[in-house]
Amino acid sequence: WQKRPGTTRFPGGETIAECAARGWKVLEELYDRHPQGHVLVVCHMFAIQGMLTRIFQLKPHQFRTFAIDVASLTTVQMAQGGFRLLQLNDVSHLESLPPSPTMTPPALPGRAAK
């Protein structure tokens, strides 16, 4: 998992690429059914990360490019011919709750005050 995150298969599971492909198929089916509508999809963070790597044409091992916290909102607008990322990992609706131990830590250390 640490050395080959994009191609590691969990016991009884799938790789990130397979997870993204399965999710992608669902997105295509939903778009075909609701081309002008809004659809809410609730899924695991790896599925979200995998589908985002596909949208942005990244390699499966680059899925960690996108931080996805528990209960966060990511909004993608799908239209014929393309996608638009409207919201990524929004947790503002959780602000009144105590901090979660599962919150993604900042990617970069804070800068020291001068």
Side-chain angles (χ1 to χ4, degrees):
W1 176 245
Q2 293 296 323
K3 293 178 183 174
R4 296 183 332 271
T7 58
T8 298
R9 181 181 308 282
F10 291 98
E14 58 194 354
T15 66
I16 291 292
E18 291 167 342
C19 178
R22 186 167 47 91
W24 196 264
K25 183 177 177 185
V26 170
L27 290 180
E28 287 176 333
E29 290 172 4
L30 288 170
Y31 183 78
D32 288 344
R33 289 185 200 165
H34 309 281
Q36 302 301 322
H38 292 85
V39 177
L40 173 69
V41 177
V42 179
C43 60
H44 193 276
M45 69 182 227
F46 288 148
I48 297 168
Q49 290 170 314
M51 287 182 280
L52 287 171
T53 60
R54 219 170 144 163
I55 288 170
F56 288 98
Q57 300 176 353
L58 301 172
K59 302 290 184 198
H61 71 274
Q62 294 174 298
F63 72 96
R64 290 185 181 137
T65 299
F66 307 100
I68 303 296
D69 291 313
V70 173
S72 67
L73 300 173
T74 295
T75 305
V76 176
Q77 181 180 36
M78 294 178 68
Q80 281 301 82
F83 301 89
R84 203 165 100 189
L85 181 63
L86 302 176
Q87 183 178 26
L88 177 66
N89 195 42
D90 179 20
V91 292
S92 62
H93 58 286
L94 304 174
E95 288 175 353
S96 64
L97 299 175
S100 169
T102 61
M103 194 75 152
T104 301
L108 302 173
R111 293 180 63 183
K114 291 184 178 190

